[in-house]
């Protein structure tokens, strides 16, 4: 699971690939408990194809599993288990593909990138991208094995997560107007957020490839107040901005601030950055998409997905200098497994 060590899994994959003569590089976290893995087989001096997967899964506590979540149960020709669709099935297939490729003479390398802690905001892969970003030869395209029912996903939204800390003054509620109520500050901020959302929905960037075709703003949690007769001095909001790939969360945040300030709501909350990953927008006519289309059945659809992937970060940092050459950056997702066990993630 996310937040738990994956080193044993990564070392196992490294042993399996190493036995086939495939060189592996591990990129660990500070504690040495979690690691990314990068492996490559084939020529080292030309760009290749990278298969990308994350090794963590989301928790199972409180969920009504009818099979052991951490064992693979095959039933009616389907495999059930936490992460079988997202995305251990793909990871297993990718490892086998690497072994198969190592026995062949390749014109271009086949590469494998495995990460940790993807489900909590694409946290682990960033260290691996630091390494790939400076490599003398970068991959030509990347296949991200997220579940898309075997369709080609060419894009997803980016996400920025924030915490708003609203400050007030504590006092007895009998004298409420004399004190600044932190919950009232928070609700003013929410009013500004909702006005900004309305603007985005009516006049913002638009992409009908998504179920919700514009960037979105959402408050997930609100905490504040001690008792009804005490004016609260602190209230916190956790909120997110999900952006179309060409929208910027910081610009939307600035718009919310401007609206709140314009309405005379002072002081504004302190905004803390919690986490963010960028969106992905692969051109549907790119060489990379055409390459994959040629491999898949002719009725394979192209779509965009509602969840985030590590593809956005790779697109921005590893492939950005390749955009012109490829007529658009790469990035895909498909899975060899049915989505039976899939739980919505990011
Ligand atoms: Zn996933």
């Amino acid at each position: 699971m996310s937040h738990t060590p994956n080193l044993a899994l990564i070392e196992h994959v490294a042993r399996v690939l190493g036995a086939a003569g495939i060189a592996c590089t591990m990129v660990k976290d500070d504690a040495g408990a979690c690691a990314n893995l990068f492996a490559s087989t084939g020529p080292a001096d030309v760009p290749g194809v990278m298969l990308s997967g994350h090794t963590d899964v989301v928790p199972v506590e409180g969920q009504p599993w009818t099979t052991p979540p951490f064992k693979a149960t095959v039933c009616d020709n389907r495999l059930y288990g936490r992460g079988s669709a997202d995305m251990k099935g793909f990871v297993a297939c990718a490892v086998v593909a690497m072994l198969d490729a190592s026995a062949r003479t390749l014109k271009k390398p086949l590469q494998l990138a495995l990460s940790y802690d993807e489900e909590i905001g694409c946290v682990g892969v960033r260290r691996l991208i630091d390494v790939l970003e400076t490599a003398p030869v970068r991959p030509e395209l990347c296949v991200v094995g997220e579940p898309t029912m075997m369709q080609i996903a060419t894009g997803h939204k980016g996400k920025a997560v924030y915490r708003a800390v609203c400050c007030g003054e504590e006092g007895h509620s009998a004298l409420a107007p004399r004190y600044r109520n932190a919950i009232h500050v928070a609700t003013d901020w929410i009013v500004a957020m909702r006005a900004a959302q309305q603007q985005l929905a009516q006049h913002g960037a638009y992409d009908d490839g998504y179920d919700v075709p514009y960037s979105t703003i959402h408050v997930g949690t609100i905490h504040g107040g001690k008792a009804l007769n005490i004016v609260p001095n602190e209230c916190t909001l956790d909120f997110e901005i999900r952006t179309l790939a060409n929208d910027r969360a910081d610009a939307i945040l600035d718009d919310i601030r401007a609206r709140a300030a314009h309405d005379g709501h002072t002081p504004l909350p302190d905004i803390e950055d919690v986490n963010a990953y960028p969106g992905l927008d692969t051109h549907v006519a790119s060489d990379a998409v055409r390459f994959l289309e040629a491999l898949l059945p002719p009725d394979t659809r192209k779509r965009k997905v509602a969840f985030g992937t590590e593809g956005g970060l790779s697109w921005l940092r590893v492939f950005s200098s390749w955009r012109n050459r490829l007529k658009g950056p790469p990035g895909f997702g498909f899975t060899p497994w049915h989505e039976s066990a899939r739980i919505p993630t990011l």
Side-chain angles (χ1 to χ4, degrees), residues 5 37 54 75 78 92 99 115 126 135 144 152 198 206 279 330 339:
L37 178 141
H54 60 82
C75 181
R78 291 179 180 174
L99 296 173
S115 69
R126 294 167 201 254
V144 181
I152 300 175
Q198 196 168 14
Y206 191 87
E339 290 202 23

Side-chain angles (χ1 to χ4, degrees), residues 41-315:
T41 183
D45 55 349
V46 292
V49 174
M50 185 165 73
L51 307 175
S52 167
H54 60 82
T55 61
D56 60 317
V57 298
V58 294
V60 297
E61 280 75 28
Q63 299 164 7
W65 281 79
T66 54
T67 59
F70 295 108
K71 287 186 176 169
T73 302
V74 178
C75 181
D76 294 335
N77 209 30
R78 291 179 180 174
L79 188 150
Y80 294 84
R82 165 57 87 228
S84 58
D86 181 13
M87 59 165 64
K88 305 307 143 318
F90 175 84
V91 168
C93 291
V95 170
V96 171
M98 291 290 291
L99 296 173
D100 182 57
S102 71
R104 300 168 185 261
T105 302
L106 303 179
K107 293 178 183 170
K108 295 182 177 183
L110 184 67
Q111 300 171 324
L112 177 67
L114 300 181
S115 69
Y116 62 92
D117 285 358
E118 187 265 3
E119 300 285 11
I120 53 174
C122 302
V123 171
V125 75
R126 294 167 201 254
R127 288 175 181 244
L128 179 57
I129 289 175
D130 289 343
V131 175
L132 296 178
E133 195 175 28
T134 57
V137 181
R138 300 178 188 183
E140 194 168 60
L141 73 91
C142 177
V143 178
V144 181
E146 292 287 350
T148 62
M149 300 300 281
M150 296 300 284
Q151 296 161 351
I152 300 175
T154 59
H156 64 73
K157 292 180 181 178
K159 181 168 115 173
V161 180
Y162 302 99
R163 171 161 291 177
V165 180
C166 307
C167 295
E169 301 157 319
E170 198 163 276
H172 196 287
S173 63
L175 303 173
R178 294 186 182 177
Y179 304 106
R180 187 191 315 124
N181 184 317
I183 292 178
H184 293 183
V185 174
T187 54
D188 290 342
W189 180 255
I190 292 172
V191 168
M193 290 175 64
R194 296 190 68 184
Q197 175 66 92
Q198 196 168 14
Q199 166 72 17
L200 287 169
Q202 293 177 346
H203 306 292
Y206 191 87
D207 185 340
D208 61 9
Y210 290 101
D211 290 340
V212 180
Y214 46 82
S215 297
T216 59
I217 306 169
H218 156 81
V219 179
T221 66
I222 178 167
H223 297 284
K226 295 174 183 168
L228 181 58
N229 63 349
I230 301 174
V231 177
N233 64 357
E234 184 170 298
C235 181
T236 58
L237 306 173
D238 290 327
F239 68 100
E240 65 174 33
I241 301 174
R242 291 189 183 240
T243 50
L244 298 177
N246 294 321
D247 260 346
R248 291 177 56 98
D250 54 356
I252 294 171
L253 184 61
D254 285 345
D255 180 49
I256 298 169
R257 276 201 184 95
R259 289 172 187 276
H262 182 263
D263 289 344
H265 299 310
T266 55
L268 299 178
D270 292 327
I271 306 297
E272 300 171 2
D273 295 327
V274 177
N275 184 268
Y277 59 77
L280 173 71
D281 192 12
T282 306
H283 198 292
V284 293
S286 66
D287 291 347
V289 172
R290 288 184 174 154
F291 173 75
L292 266 197
E293 283 179 317
L295 300 176
L296 294 167
D299 59 346
T300 302
R301 280 203 312 126
K302 290 189 285 294
R303 56 181 286 204
K304 296 186 176 178
V305 292
F307 53 85
T309 79
E310 294 167 338
L313 281 166
S314 299
W315 179 48

Side-chain angles (χ1 to χ4, degrees), residues 4-13 15 26-29 31-36 55 116:
T4 57
N6 77 334
L7 199 56
L9 184 158
I10 291 294
E11 287 178 341
H12 175 71
V13 173
R15 271 194 302 275
M26 283 192 227
V27 181
K28 296 182 181 176
D29 68 354
C34 292
N36 300 291
T55 61
Y116 62 92

